[in-house]
Amino acid sequence: MDGLTALAYRGYDSAGVAVWEGGEISLRKAKGRIDNLRAMLDKSPVSGKCGIGHTRWATHGEPSDVNSHPHTDSNKTLALVHNGIIENYLKLKEMLEKRGCVFVSETDTEVVAQLLGYLYRGNPLFALKQAVSLIEGSFALAILFADDPEAIYCTCKDSPMVLGHGDGESVVASDIPAILEYTRDVCFMQDRQIAVMRKDGISYYDEFGVSIEKTPTHIDWDVESAKKGNYEHFMMKEICEEPEAFRKTFEQYVSIKDFSLKAEKFPWDAARAKSMERLTIVSCGTAYHAGMLGKKFIEHMARLPVDVDIASEFRYSDALLKKGAPFMVISQSGETADTIAAMRRAKQLGCETMAVCNVTGSTISREAEHVLYTYAGPEIAVAATKTYLTQIIVMYLVALDLAEKRGEMTREQVAERLKKMQKVPVSMQKILDSRENIQFFASRAFAVKHVFFIGRGIDYALAMEAALKLKEISYIHSEAYAAGELKHGTIALIEDGSLVVALATQDELLPKIASNMEEVRVRGAHVLAVTNGRWEGAKGHSHEQWEIDRMDETLAPLCAIIPMQLLAYYLAVQKGCPVDQPRNLAKSVTVE
Ligand code: AGP
């Protein structure tokens, strides 16, 4: 149950467990959050030494008790949990129904359970090998066979799976936080490998059933960092950890004694940096927004053209990339299905792949040719906060490194920027220390129906992330708009009571954004200006002004994101939303 709770951020439509107990497999499943399952187990406990559990994010079949995992075959010879999507489940279901299998759920997962039951002739490994060769799609499966009650059989394809080698126990999960309490020595499963876990060890096999050796990796994450501590929500804890995450990431890439970049940390030398014609960045959601900001940084400082695309679009696009072209993905989890597919496509095209990633051992970090790690530590809340910050820090440092190696900036100019950058966490902390002001604003504004985040240039890229943060956790309709584009249609939506947050951190563009603020103010919007130091010009065009410490304009988004995250958080709390686990969302989107 603790493991499932740690994984609740990946899905929470329903939950269930199966335990081998007194000669048979006992099941408990409940629709809704994990607490419903907990209550059910309090009333009707199970006990045993070998079990599997699941917390679901529905893809096939509505969230319901019967669609919850674990699923069994008709004879209850096995129970299994599944993460992923079985793409040929209808074909398999038809074939199994013709052979007498009676299905009880609407899920694709039950097809795997019935298929395994149908193929099973007393040898779990053999049945599993056969089943894996027949199913198409993505899967991470953990299976309990009634005939082999002290073992769990596992396999996966295109879905993450981590196995922990504990002391007198073995554990498996789809993400590290679920097993950190039990062991830090883990192995990551590769596609179609099979593992058989027993309390005294784990045996690994390749897809042909041939025994293989795997060496565990030691995970040095702090257990506490995956816990909520005294905070009401993980999201607030993670926002408060941002100054520290900033320092950690910064120090990994920058030598503090002389404010120089650690050249070896970046996957290009000067010749390669100079030879680059274009960089393509591909990612999803918040990571896509980090890519958008990265584009602004890189084009501005390194004068290298950057294309940014959404992974789900890129993977089916014409992808006109040259052989050897640099191709970067950004992903905190390293497990986002579309991002993985996009990176594989780029590899097939002969691009040089690199990844900005927060999780060591994840699929993306294993498959990319080069990895630029972010050092945010585990992020549990569904809404990305500290991982976004560390992604944009890395993008900023990438821009500086490329600028220096391409001869667009001198080492002294770079050192000057880095010196200024090092001070940003102090300014971030000031905002965190006075966060009650934002809480107070949220207590007045939480009934707002529409929020527009507007900005130009760097501020527009930041606005995109601010709008996503707000909508995903507070369910308030919000949009990001390039401030100058508003009047080409979207301004029609502005009415009395709309909230417009004008991100105005770039001096040169202030007169322009002032006009855009005025356009919405006179149409009834409540205008909040977020500024880089005091901006007297905001008076008259806005109803309030939130200032960050005055800083180099290129650095401003690294700090200005904090009030935006806090605004989203406090509005969601005021509305009584489940901040860490917003409806319909999962932390790692491991399905297409
Ligand atoms: C943002 O708050 C979301 N969690 C989501 O947009 C996320 O950034 C996206 O799914 C990509 O995830 P990744 O960074 O793990 O690839």
Side-chain angles (χ1 to χ4, degrees), residues 283-288 330-336 339 364 379 381-385 387 391 465 468-469 472 585-589:
S283 40
C284 301
T286 288
Y288 168 70
I330 307 178
S331 173
Q332 81 79 23
S333 63
E335 300 296 353
T336 300
T339 312
I364 285 178
E379 186 176 73
V382 164
T385 52
T387 55
Q391 284 165 354
E465 175 56 10
L468 177 66
K469 216 67 340 177
E472 73 178 318
L585 294 176
K587 179 79 179 161
S588 306
V589 186

Side-chain angles (χ1 to χ4, degrees), residues 37-273:
L37 176 65
R38 203 181 291 280
M40 178 184 274
L41 285 167
D42 284 345
K43 271 199 210 136
S44 168
V46 288
S47 73
K49 291 184 177 171
C50 195
I52 52 178
H54 189 265
T55 170
R56 177 167 187 247
W57 186 74
T59 58
H60 293 62
E62 59 167 11
S64 68
D65 289 353
V66 73
N67 287 337
S68 312
H69 301 209
H71 287 282
T72 63
D73 63 322
S74 302
N75 299 326
K76 249 181 147 190
T77 49
L78 61 98
L80 63 79
V81 289
H82 166 223
N83 178 25
I85 292 179
I86 306 301
E87 286 166 3
N88 59 340
Y89 81 106
L90 281 175
K91 202 170 109 202
L92 291 172
K93 189 170 181 177
E94 211 176 286
M95 183 275 282
L96 289 161
E97 276 173 338
K98 276 190 198 143
R99 285 164 172 77
C101 293
V102 180
F103 283 78
V104 293
S105 79
E106 304 158 293
T107 64
D108 52 335
T109 300
E110 192 190 351
V111 171
V112 186
Q114 297 283 11
L115 177 67
L116 264 172
Y118 176 73
L119 296 169
Y120 182 65
R121 300 283 183 277
N123 181 338
L125 200 57
F126 189 67
L128 191 51
K129 255 186 337 173
Q130 275 188 304
V132 167
S133 69
L134 292 171
I135 54 182
E136 289 164 16
S138 58
F139 51 86
L141 295 163
I143 309 148
L144 200 59
F145 284 88
D147 290 349
D148 193 1
E150 296 196 348
I152 295 173
Y153 288 75
C154 310
T155 188
C156 69
K157 185 191 152 260
D158 294 339
S159 269
M161 184 165 235
V162 57
L163 287 102
H165 292 248
D167 184 11
E169 61 183 349
S170 302
V171 275
V172 59
S174 43
D175 204 358
I176 299 168
I179 62 175
L180 267 187
E181 287 272 6
Y182 312 98
T183 179
R184 275 133 185 290
D185 296 319
V186 305
C187 284
F188 298 95
M189 288 280 270
Q190 312 269 338
D191 279 359
R192 296 181 194 277
Q193 287 180 339
I194 295 175
V196 184
M197 302 168 40
R198 299 182 192 279
K199 68 174 181 188
D200 46 6
I202 306 177
S203 315
Y204 294 97
Y205 303 88
D206 68 12
E207 59 184 295
F208 307 107
V210 177
S211 173
I212 51 169
E213 287 295 318
K214 279 175 87 77
T215 313
T217 309
H218 188 77
I219 300 291
D220 56 8
W221 283 1
D222 172 12
V223 176
E224 287 311 308
S225 60
K227 289 188 176 163
K228 222 185 303 181
N230 292 327
Y231 291 91
E232 202 183 329
H233 298 103
F234 275 111
M235 182 176 174
M236 179 49 92
K237 175 174 180 267
E238 289 158 3
I239 294 174
C240 289
E241 284 169 351
E242 285 184 272
E244 189 50 26
F246 190 120
R247 289 188 186 98
K248 276 193 183 152
T249 305
F250 186 76
E251 282 164 16
Q252 285 290 332
Y253 290 93
V254 178
S255 164
I256 305 293
K257 62 176 191 326
D258 59 353
F259 288 101
S260 63
L261 289 160
K262 297 181 185 170
E264 73 285 359
K265 284 277 192 173
F266 299 89
W268 42 73
D269 57 14
R272 173 73 176 127

